[in-house]
Amino acid sequence: MTVDIEAANRELAVARQDEKPCPPLRGRLLPEGDVEAAYQVQQVYTRQRLGKGHRRVGAKIGLTSRAVQENFGVFQPDFGVLFDDMAVGDGVEVPIGRLLQPRVEAEIAFVLGADLPDERVIGVDLIRAVDHVLPAIEIVDSRIAGWDISIVDTIADNASSGLFVLGTTPRRLADVDLRLCGMVLEHAGEPVSVGAGAACLGNPLHALQWLAGTMARAGDPLKAGDVVLSGALGPMVPVTPGAAYEARISGLGSVRTCFSREVS
């Protein structure tokens, strides 16, 4: 089949503008399994966002949880770009109309204090580069109707990104074992998702290592000041309008997000 990068980007742009999800891109505009073409679509979107004056503030890793991978039938991570207008304050209400099909998941956010320019990054490079970690909630979203996505669809759609919320209790890596830290995501005081750092490629640092090497090989390495979302520590949860969600991660503290009841 013919690859149509521009048409795929246009369909996603129309979905965002019209607030109406589009059909899956795979098998129509992008070949099944063509990860390279999907990233080309993402790069077009990134250039457009930067051209409109938005600032790139980091990256998000997706598909790191085995539960999420099995849910969507994929078996490798992906990544997307974080922009300045995607950040939401801890506990600040999110207008439900900003999103099409929102879901929430608890993650660990790495804040880098040094660049990671090498393709063959090793563990001690990561430990030196990470300034601190924070609890985070990623509000994922999809411009693909019904979340009917493959890895091609989600990569092209900027890794199904929406918004992100960072906690306000920074911790040093030396003070927490990311592999063993437990996570519970609560709604109305009841657990709706549970997990641990080990659910994220065995250790969230492994996810960061994968991303650092991948981006360095692409000629766009992670830099000091970047925020990196690790990927989910447990299953994602569909958002209920008017609901509040709080993620508690042992050793890191908690972070909260809530949503308006009405479309504004």
Side-chain angles (χ1 to χ4, degrees), residues 129-192:
V130 173
D131 184 77
H132 60 274
V133 290
L134 294 164
I137 292 175
E138 184 182 359
I139 305 169
V140 291
D141 200 9
S142 180
R143 272 53 63 176
I144 306 299
W147 276 90
D148 180 10
I149 63 173
S150 70
I151 193 167
V152 167
D153 298 295
T154 187
I155 289 173
D157 192 20
N158 196 28
S160 302
S161 61
L163 307 171
F164 66 95
V165 187
L166 301 181
T168 57
T169 54
R171 298 285 188 267
R172 301 293 180 185
L173 280 179
D175 298 330
V176 61
D177 186 335
L178 296 184
R179 184 178 69 87
L180 297 179
C181 62
M183 177 279 294
V184 59
L185 180 65
E186 297 179 348
H187 164 50
E190 295 295 327
V192 291

Side-chain angles (χ1 to χ4, degrees), residues 7-23 25 97-101 141-145 157:
N9 181 65
R10 282 197 301 272
E11 284 208 15
L12 292 170
V14 169
R16 295 184 189 99
Q17 179 178 317
D18 293 352
E19 301 179 356
K20 183 178 180 181
C22 65
L25 305 175
R98 286 190 65 179
L99 303 149
L100 297 182
Q101 306 174 97
D141 200 9
S142 180
R143 272 53 63 176
I144 306 299
D157 192 20

Side-chain angles (χ1 to χ4, degrees), residues 6 40 42-52:
E6 293 299 330
Q40 290 178 35
Q42 185 185 124
Q43 289 162 5
V44 171
Y45 173 69
T46 297
R47 289 195 296 270
Q48 290 173 340
R49 295 280 286 162
L50 294 174
K52 293 178 180 178

Side-chain angles (χ1 to χ4, degrees), residues 36-94:
E36 182 178 350
Y39 276 119
Q40 290 178 35
V41 177
Q42 185 185 124
Q43 289 162 5
V44 171
Y45 173 69
T46 297
R47 289 195 296 270
Q48 290 173 340
R49 295 280 286 162
L50 294 174
K52 293 178 180 178
H54 294 285
R55 181 168 63 95
R56 185 168 61 180
V57 297
K60 56 154 288 183
I61 311 167
L63 306 178
T64 56
S65 165
R66 178 62 64 186
V68 175
Q69 289 183 349
E70 291 176 352
N71 192 27
F72 292 117
V74 298
F75 303 98
Q76 61 179 308
D78 67 354
F79 72 88
V81 178
L82 299 179
F83 295 99
D84 53 343
D85 63 340
M86 294 166 61
V88 178
D90 188 2
V92 174
E93 184 177 86
V94 176

Side-chain angles (χ1 to χ4, degrees), residues 224-240:
D226 280 349
V227 175
V228 176
L229 300 183
S230 67
L233 305 188
M236 64 173 67
V237 177
V239 166
T240 300

Side-chain angles (χ1 to χ4, degrees), residues 1-10 25 27-41 152:
M1 64 171 291
T2 302
V3 180
D4 198 332
I5 304 299
E6 293 299 330
N9 181 65
R10 282 197 301 272
L25 305 175
R28 295 192 305 116
L29 304 174
L30 302 175
E32 296 272 2
D34 194 337
V35 169
E36 182 178 350
Y39 276 119
Q40 290 178 35
V41 177
V152 167

